[in-house]
Every structure is written in C-alpha cells, then in structure tokens.
Amino acid sequence: MPAEQPTVLATSGGWRPGHRSALEFNKLIHFALDLSGVQGRRPRLLHVGTAGGDQRAMNANVAEAGAIAGVDVSFLNLFTMPPTDDLESYVLSHDVVWVGGGSVANLLAVWEVHGLGPVFRTAWEAGVVLSGVSAGSICWHLGGTTDSFGPDLRVVTNGLGLLPYGNGVHYDSEEQRRPKVHEAVAAGTLPKTYCTDDGVGLLYRGTELVEAVSERQGSGAYVVVRDDSSATAQEEKLDTRLL
C-alpha cells in the first residue's frame, strides 16, 4: 500500500547503536516505515548506499538491523554494477527508500550516470516513501552544504529537486553548517532552506513541509530565508514534534 501522497522524510538521523548488533533502526526510520502505510505484511525497505561507495560491510549491518526490526531490506548497489536492468520496477517494488550518508556530490554524479533521477521521481509520485540521512536528505532538495570536496564546506545545487528548497544537515553538530547555509541563502546560491539538527527529520507531503519530527530531546529544525531589503539570511526555528 503506497503512501497517500508523494512523501519525503529528509533527516539528520535514523540510526542508533544496537544492543547486540552494530546498528538498529532508530525512531526516524520507523517513522518512515509507518508513513508507507504497510499493514498485514513485513515492510520492504530499499537501502541506497551510493554516497558511501556501496560498502558491503555497511550493507550487512543494515540487513541485520532490518532483521531485528522485522523489515525486509534490499540494496540498490551501483558498484560495480546495478542489480537489474529495470531499476524503475526494482525501486517501485519497495515501500521505503532509505539513502545513506556520505558524499552527496558523488551520489548525484553516479545517479546521473544511471538515470536514477527520473526513477526516484516516478517512485515518489507512486507513493514510495523517499527518505534518508545527510546526503540522503540533501539529494531530494535543490541542493545544500556538503563536505564532499574537503573539510571546508561547499554548496551543491544539482540535487534532484523534488523539493524546491535548499537543505542543511547536521546543523547543531558541525560548526561550519549554519554559517555556510546563511552565506549561501544571503547570496541567493540556495533558495529558502530547511535545516535539521542531528536526530531531526523534515516530513514533506508533495512539496509542502508538513512537520518537523525528532528522535532526540531538544533537537530542532529551522528555516532560513533571504531578506531582499538587507541581502541577509534570516533564520526561524520551527516547531518540532518529539517521536
């Protein structure tokens, strides 16, 4: 059963250390699964690890976390080749797509080579919940700040653009993130930009932000817009619901 509307959950979280495993699904991943509306069977989650280079060790940890949670997990590995010639049908056979963190610049380049932008748009329109963390959050937007090129953050503007906004991740845990977002919005390099502290997710229905949610007490979400009269960036904290 697909989500009732095109749905994105863009996050700076989703994982926690496992009790007897390396990783477990945290509340944001469980929320993404709930958003898919699956009932009467195990949810099907597609993990996309392009931003981290499709590391098989990470895949094993994610598969174990899925087994603990009662979720069927599959993988869209693009290294060294995709798992199928029909990527659209493969993606559409899942309830949730979860895109892992890493290099968003490399992710977008590899996705372009394999034509995944139109595939994910089709899945989004069909009600597959698109979600992810960090690079897996920025990718659904027009762009955002990234350390893909080195420790000094740069801005990417070639995101898939399903959501017509910029996106800032790890807003509270990496000191360059907030000033770089403000700089990019003030300069007009990024449009209106939604940002998340670690542990926070942004729920979009269609292209509208519905709410911000958090798996961590005290973490928040923010919107940064350009004030044209002063050519500066203005930030507002958003109401955030604790999961």
Side-chain angles (χ1 to χ4, degrees):
M1 179 183 297
E4 294 180 357
Q5 302 176 57
T7 301
V8 172
L9 180 66
T11 88
S12 290
W15 297 107
R16 66 185 180 198
H19 293 292
R20 293 180 180 271
S21 61
L23 292 176
E24 288 183 5
F25 292 173
N26 210 343
K27 291 179 180 180
L28 285 168
I29 297 181
H30 285 290
F31 184 50
L33 293 163
D34 291 343
L35 290 168
S36 72
V38 171
Q39 297 179 4
R41 62 168 173 81
R42 290 163 63 97
R44 294 189 290 263
L45 182 143
L46 180 64
H47 184 267
V48 185
T50 318
D54 289 338
Q55 298 175 44
R56 292 331 194 245
M58 181 61 177
N59 287 357
N61 290 337
V62 173
E64 187 175 24
I68 291 168
V71 176
D72 291 337
V73 177
S74 303
F75 299 92
L76 179 51
N77 296 318
L78 298 175
F79 296 94
T80 54
M81 66 180 72
T84 174
D85 291 333
D86 189 354
L87 288 173
E88 182 174 298
S89 294
Y90 185 62
V91 172
L92 285 167
S93 69
H94 295 83
D95 306 303
V96 174
V97 171
W98 183 271
V99 179
S103 171
V104 70
N106 290 352
L107 172 152
L108 291 168
V110 174
W111 283 7
E112 175 70 19
V113 167
H114 291 281
L116 273 168
V119 169
F120 285 133
R121 177 173 288 275
T122 298
W124 176 64
E125 292 172 345
V128 177
V129 175
L130 304 182
S131 194
V133 55
S134 195
S137 174
I138 296 169
C139 63
W140 312 120
H141 298 77
L142 288 171
T145 59
T146 179
D147 57 4
S148 297
F149 304 98
D152 293 327
L153 298 188
R154 290 168 56 178
V155 176
V156 293
T157 57
N158 62 328
L160 297 188
L162 302 181
L163 306 168
Y165 315 108
N167 183 224
V169 295
H170 308 307
Y171 211 54
D172 62 337
S173 61
E174 298 180 12
E175 64 181 3
Q176 292 186 47
R177 295 285 181 171
R178 180 177 261 111
K180 195 66 178 180
V181 165
H182 280 237
E183 176 188 316
V185 171
T189 307
L190 288 177
K192 181 179 187 177
T193 296
Y194 290 105
C195 306
T196 50
D197 289 341
D198 284 357
V200 176
L202 302 164
L203 172 59
Y204 300 90
R205 298 287 198 180
T207 59
E208 297 300 316
L209 180 68
V210 174
E211 66 172 343
V213 294
S214 179
E215 59 193 10
R216 290 176 48 184
Q217 185 76 43
S219 294
Y222 313 83
V223 60
V224 182
V225 298
R226 186 178 191 272
D227 179 71
D228 291 334
S229 63
S230 61
T232 60
Q234 304 296 315
E235 179 181 300
E236 179 184 350
K237 189 169 185 178
L238 303 175
D239 291 337
T240 303
R241 178 171 66 88
L242 188 64
L243 293 172

